[in-house]
Amino acid sequence: MSQINENSSMPSSLDNRRRMRTKFIQKGKLLLALYGLVLPTSISLLIFSYYPKIDVFLMSFFRWQPPSVREFIGLRNFVEAFSDPVFWQSFQLVGILLVANLIKLWPGILAAIALNRIKSDRLRYFTQVCFVVPMIIPSMIFLLIWKSFYDPDFGLVNRFLNASGGMEFLNWMDTAMPALSLKLAPLQTQFVDPVFGSVGGLILLGAFIFAASRRKELDRNRWGDYATLMAGALILPLAQLINPSPNTLYVLSIIGLVVAWMLWCAKRMGSAWIAWPFLLLAGVAVFHAELWRLPVCLLATLVLVEVIRSRKDEYEARPYFRILSLFLIGTGIFIIFLGNIWTQPIEQFKEGTPAWLGNKDLVIPAILFWGFPWVGTVGVLIYLSGLQNISQDVYEAARLDGVSPIGMIFKIELPLIMTQVRINLIFMTIGTLTMYEIFLILLGPDGGPGGKGMVPGLYMFSSAFSEGRFGYACALGMVLFVIILLLTIVYQKYVKVDK
Amino acid sequence: MRTQIQHALGEVVKLGYLAFILIFAFFPLYVMLVVSFKSNEQFLANPWFFDSLADWRWENWAVGWNNVSGYICNSIFVSFLGTGITLIIVLMCAYAIARYNFPGKNIIFYLVMATMFLPGTVAALVTLFDLLRRMGLVNSLWALVLMASVSGQVAGVFILRNFIEDIPKELFESAQLDGAGHLQQIRHIILPLSASIISVTCIMDFLHSWNNTILPLLLLRDDQLLTIPVGLFRLDGEYVKQYGQLMAGYAISSVPLLIIFVFSMKFFVKGLSAGAVKG
């Protein structure tokens, strides 16, 4: 550019060049200043945020114990992780916690609704402030005070139970519940286990039926979809059948196959596929000893759905499906609760000083009860922001239609803050999968008595910092990361669909 | 008449439910206060309510103060310095990104944003610890200051960039004509105009680093370097438990944030709500 300028206009060329130069210098100076301004952020994020995350990925392929040991071992960390019973068990605990989250959600939602409905502005603001105050106290203090609640001698939980007669009730339950489970045992061993594989299989069948009945049209395409699902269910059993002692390459190719299947499934079935990979994954976990049951279970589901749908149309069939799946799931949960949890007397309640955090049977109930009434400030504020967007007209119209205040919760407020509830559910899910501070503080790095309180994050923490297996910890972290990434993607899609 | 009764009943149910929740939410704090004035024997005898004033064990608070005062100083050092540094860096970056177009701007912005969408890399703690160890930052409060100033940046840049883009361009241009440099523009235009949003983000950062537990647990070894969460955890672990002294320590260590809260209640409520909405 500057050369053309020079040649074309002789008289002002010197002037022009100077102007260009000052402009250029000015621009350079500006750029330099700007880069200087953004430099601290970029450098610090690159070093302290990106580098560790990339390093996790790399080091998961190493046997690594800083500062001395550092040896490339390929995928052995991952193979070990997948065959590590402690790791699997930790996901079992996560499953329990996730189910509990669905219950723990409610007090917060109701609190937000009640808060939003307070008429006087001043009182509402005051209550809102009250909800914020617990955030101000360091969370560690709450943790430690709750820990003191569970102390066998001093703890207020035991004191309260002793004073109110709850302890006697628990003591009575301690003999009654195992007796009940003994009565239920024949039903389980003679009927449920041979037919469904396990109680989990029963619940899974219910979930399969529910998911399969969501299809609305009876078009030709469905056979292709069924075949796709069947193929997905068959991948792992067949893989196990062909080569029972897999090496790394084999495992990798199977994983590749599964991913390819998921992509194909997503392309073919659109948003209807979302539930299926998870259901099949759950199926693999449930039937891990007898994988052939998974395709059989799926086949039974599809046949059942086809048979019912061939007699009834969509609207008529829906209640049948709903009742059937709810019955199966309900029965499964019933059997689990009454027959599989409290099977042995715990024998802690007699003296009135059960060690809630020190007994392997009591740890999980104690953790589930932890933080009662489970109202998180952030959750309440998220719901509140949704509730405040509901216009008064909606309430007015509902009132004219004669909707009662309690009916309004389910007909207006809950549907309208569903987005917020989902957002919160995402946070809770990710939090449950990643968070381990509570378990570390309450139970120590080994996950308490019998390792019952071991969550994946804590296992990662303790394998790095107690056992010194840093590379293995990185591999565990990568597995966790992939699971969370998948969940987040699915959730994002799910949330957007409804917006 | 009937509807009036119904209304009143509705109010009672609502407020009753909220009171129930709030009582349970505050119950641990109440217990903390009650027990902090008791010896272990008194705690065993009556955990639910204060004893008569003559039996109060004031010395618990003296012991508690001796236990936690160092932790409080450390926490204040880390959180204030960390938040301050975050604020400066974030302002600079947000200003540059919001006001100018320059090559690489989008890359930097997405670099910042992407960390928000990479949650759940819990294992990064392992490698981060190794990194800090290699930098010789183990057992040093500066590591915590550093990490506090890194973790707060993402949300800060995101929020402030949106805010600065809404400030009219003419303000900056006239300041530039008067010969103000970049830093002066930040100080004299952005800082006063976005004071409220800045304090909101600052409070979020501050709370975050104040409550940070795992990293100090790993990094800090010396007792006189511990921050509040880790210090309390260690106290809880190594004592022949004198619950009164422990609880007094807890109470004292929650005071600094309470003081800040009283002076900035509006921002706290707003900030937490804003954080909720953003999330």
Side-chain angles (χ1 to χ4, degrees):
Chain A
M1 273 307 269
S2 69
Q3 262 180 352
I4 297 168
N5 265 345
E6 240 172 286
N7 293 339
S8 58
S9 53
M10 289 300 278
S12 62
S13 85
L14 209 70
D15 201 35
N16 216 346
R17 201 190 289 172
R18 190 176 295 150
R19 208 184 306 150
M20 288 294 288
R21 186 186 290 161
T22 47
K23 206 175 162 192
F24 194 71
I25 288 174
Q26 256 184 353
K27 197 163 183 207
K29 255 187 177 167
L30 178 66
L31 271 182
L32 210 64
L34 288 177
Y35 285 125
L37 286 172
V38 294
L39 195 67
T41 304
S42 357
I43 296 274
S44 62
L45 281 184
L46 279 179
I47 294 179
F48 293 104
S49 186
Y50 279 92
Y51 171 71
K53 283 173 187 172
I54 295 165
D55 210 21
V56 167
F57 177 67
L58 295 177
M59 294 320 283
S60 61
F61 302 106
F62 281 79
R63 190 166 75 83
W64 178 35
Q65 184 168 18
S68 51
V69 187
R70 195 187 169 104
E71 174 196 354
F72 184 77
I73 54 167
L75 284 173
R76 237 185 292 163
N77 277 332
F78 289 97
V79 173
E80 194 183 337
F82 280 113
S83 56
D84 189 339
V86 181
F87 194 49
W88 284 112
Q89 201 203 329
S90 70
F91 276 104
Q92 205 182 340
L93 179 59
V94 164
I96 295 174
L97 293 174
L98 286 178
V99 173
N101 271 351
L102 291 181
I103 299 164
K104 291 182 180 183
L105 210 57
W106 288 98
I109 296 176
L110 292 179
I113 289 175
L115 186 55
N116 188 50
R117 281 196 196 169
I118 292 178
K119 290 214 178 62
S120 128
D121 280 340
R122 265 200 171 157
L123 194 61
R124 193 168 55 220
Y125 186 73
F126 173 75
T127 334
Q128 207 174 338
V129 171
C130 280
F131 268 100
V132 173
V133 169
M135 278 286 278
I136 312 307
I137 312 297
S139 47
M140 176 61 81
I141 291 180
F142 274 107
L143 260 174
L144 292 176
I145 294 177
W146 267 90
K147 194 179 172 188
S148 85
F149 285 176
Y150 284 131
D151 187 290
D153 299 312
F154 287 91
L156 292 189
V157 171
N158 281 351
R159 305 289 292 271
F160 176 75
L161 286 174
N162 279 324
S164 65
M167 195 66 82
E168 281 161 41
F169 178 68
L170 283 176
N171 198 19
W172 175 76
M173 294 269 281
D174 206 20
T175 53
M177 290 295 286
L180 184 65
S181 90
L182 211 63
K183 288 226 173 73
L184 274 175
L187 174 72
Q188 202 179 336
T189 50
Q190 284 166 20
F191 176 66
V192 174
D193 281 356
V195 178
F196 299 100
S198 64
V199 187
L202 190 72
I203 296 177
L204 195 74
L205 185 66
F208 273 9
I209 291 175
F210 189 74
S213 69
R214 303 286 283 192
R215 162 175 280 282
K216 290 201 179 74
E217 318 83 26
L218 265 186
D219 50 4
R220 276 262 182 78
N221 268 336
R222 72 181 190 280
W223 300 111
D225 289 354
Y226 291 165
T228 316
L229 291 179
M230 217 48 207
L234 278 169
I235 291 176
L236 282 177
L238 282 182
Q240 204 192 26
L241 202 69
I242 293 168
N243 189 352
S245 56
N247 56 359
T248 313
L249 194 68
Y250 191 67
V251 170
L252 267 188
S253 51
I254 294 299
I255 291 175
L257 208 59
V258 171
V259 171
W261 172 77
M262 279 176 73
L263 290 177
W264 167 246
C265 205
K267 200 176 159 212
R268 182 174 172 87
M269 299 168 67
S271 64
W273 73 283
I274 284 175
W276 282 105
F278 286 90
L279 284 175
L280 292 183
L281 200 69
V284 172
V286 168
F287 296 125
H288 58 88
E290 313 166 283
L291 275 179
W292 58 269
R293 282 186 185 274
L294 181 61
V296 174
C297 183
L298 185 64
L299 189 67
T301 308
L302 297 179
V303 168
L304 195 76
V305 169
E306 274 305 307
V307 168
I308 295 182
R309 282 301 296 276
S310 62
R311 314 256 153 123
K312 314 266 183 206
D313 72 2
E314 192 199 333
Y315 287 100
E316 280 178 336
R318 197 179 281 170
Y320 288 95
F321 287 128
R322 200 169 279 177
I323 289 170
L324 190 62
S325 55
L326 278 183
F327 173 72
L328 288 173
I329 295 174
T331 318
I333 291 174
F334 179 77
I335 292 178
I336 286 181
F337 263 94
L338 295 181
N340 290 32
I341 293 179
W342 207 334
T343 53
Q344 298 287 324
I346 303 170
E347 290 178 347
Q348 284 270 322
F349 305 113
K350 217 170 277 169
E351 286 103 49
T353 55
W356 290 97
L357 297 176
N359 182 294
K360 67 179 171 49
D361 295 318
L362 295 178
V363 166
I364 292 176
I367 284 171
L368 290 182
F369 185 73
W370 188 90
F372 180 83
W374 313 301
V375 177
T377 308
V378 178
V380 170
L381 291 173
I382 291 180
Y383 303 139
L384 210 56
S385 73
L387 287 168
Q388 276 159 356
N389 286 337
I390 302 176
S391 85
Q392 279 301 316
D393 305 348
V394 183
Y395 285 107
E396 209 59 51
R399 207 166 294 136
L400 286 179
D401 282 348
V403 180
S404 70
I406 293 173
M408 248 186 255
I409 296 178
F410 296 102
K411 291 198 177 114
I412 292 179
E413 278 149 340
L414 212 52
L416 284 176
I417 60 166
M418 220 44 211
T419 319
Q420 277 80 8
V421 174
R422 281 196 188 141
I423 289 173
N424 205 25
L425 212 57
I426 295 175
F427 281 150
M428 277 171 124
T429 314
I430 294 178
T432 312
L433 276 164
T434 56
M435 194 228 17
Y436 55 95
E437 273 175 59
I438 292 180
F439 296 87
L440 183 63
I441 304 299
L442 289 182
L443 303 170
D446 300 327
K452 284 280 178 182
M454 190 63 100
V455 283
L458 185 60
Y459 190 48
M460 183 213 82
F461 181 90
S462 68
S463 49
F465 298 109
S466 324
E467 296 165 26
R469 303 171 68 196
F470 281 61
Y472 187 53
C474 288
L476 296 178
M478 280 311 293
V479 175
L480 208 53
F481 173 69
V482 169
I483 292 173
I484 290 167
L485 197 67
L486 286 179
L487 270 182
T488 322
I489 291 170
V490 167
Y491 272 137
Q492 297 263 336
K493 213 165 190 167
Y494 186 50
V495 170
K496 253 187 213 151
V497 165
D498 248 55
K499 266 183 187 170
Chain B
M1 186 59 200
R2 183 140 167 246
T3 52
Q4 257 179 3
I5 292 174
Q6 266 183 350
H7 271 278
L9 203 69
E11 283 294 296
V12 168
V13 170
K14 267 181 278 188
L15 291 177
Y17 178 69
L18 285 175
F20 171 79
I21 298 272
L22 283 174
I23 284 172
F24 270 100
F26 281 93
F27 183 66
L29 303 180
Y30 166 77
V31 170
M32 172 177 85
L33 273 186
V34 168
V35 176
S36 70
F37 291 108
K38 287 174 189 268
S39 67
N40 267 359
E41 291 74 38
Q42 285 167 313
F43 181 25
L44 263 183
N46 175 19
W48 307 106
F49 197 68
F50 293 104
D51 292 328
S52 66
L53 203 54
D55 293 333
W56 283 25
R57 299 298 180 94
W58 291 100
E59 67 268 20
N60 282 346
W61 283 72
V63 178
W65 169 249
N66 279 339
N67 283 337
V68 299
S69 54
Y71 306 149
I72 293 178
C73 290
N74 292 333
S75 265
I76 288 178
F77 172 77
V78 168
S79 297
F80 269 100
L81 210 59
T83 312
I85 294 176
T86 315
L87 177 63
I88 295 170
I89 297 179
V90 161
L91 272 176
M92 281 163 40
C93 181
Y95 165 82
I97 288 182
R99 268 216 64 199
Y100 293 98
N101 267 321
F102 55 94
K105 164 182 149 168
N106 283 333
I107 296 176
I108 290 170
F109 186 63
Y110 288 125
L111 193 79
V112 176
M113 283 304 98
T115 47
M116 259 208 313
F117 297 105
L118 274 182
T121 28
V122 263
L125 182 74
V126 176
T127 43
L128 182 67
F129 174 74
D130 185 54
L131 177 68
L132 293 171
R133 186 186 54 78
R134 272 185 282 158
M135 294 171 83
L137 284 170
V138 169
N139 207 9
S140 148
L141 285 179
W142 288 104
L144 297 182
V145 173
L146 198 65
M147 288 322 294
S149 50
V150 171
S151 63
Q153 284 179 23
V154 180
V157 169
F158 181 66
I159 295 173
L160 273 178
R161 184 196 78 130
N162 287 347
F163 197 87
I164 294 172
E165 273 180 350
D166 290 344
I167 297 176
K169 282 240 150 61
E170 292 76 20
L171 270 176
F172 292 111
E173 277 156 15
S174 62
Q176 228 165 4
L177 283 180
D178 292 344
H182 295 297
L183 295 180
Q184 276 167 316
Q185 288 179 43
I186 292 177
R187 219 186 109 207
H188 293 293
I189 299 177
I190 297 178
L191 217 50
L193 276 178
S194 51
S196 74
I197 194 90
I198 284 176
S199 40
V200 164
T201 58
C202 277
I203 283 168
M204 273 154 47
D205 294 346
F206 191 88
L207 272 182
H208 189 259
S209 77
W210 191 262
N211 280 326
N212 193 1
T213 313
I214 298 276
L215 203 58
L217 193 69
L218 284 176
L219 287 174
L220 303 177
R221 306 276 149 83
D222 294 350
D223 194 50
Q224 65 265 31
L225 285 180
L226 299 183
T227 55
I228 288 176
V230 204
L232 295 182
F233 181 45
R234 189 171 286 186
L235 277 183
D236 178 74
E238 75 189 16
Y239 260 53
V240 182
K241 281 196 187 161
Q242 288 294 333
Y243 275 103
Q245 294 169 7
L246 281 178
M247 297 283 181
Y250 299 165
I252 293 169
S253 36
S254 44
V255 167
L257 262 189
L258 274 179
I259 294 173
I260 298 177
F261 176 69
V262 170
F263 285 111
S264 56
M265 194 159 74
K266 224 170 68 189
F267 292 126
F268 254 102
V269 178
K270 217 182 181 178
L272 290 171
S273 312
V277 175
K278 175 188 66 81

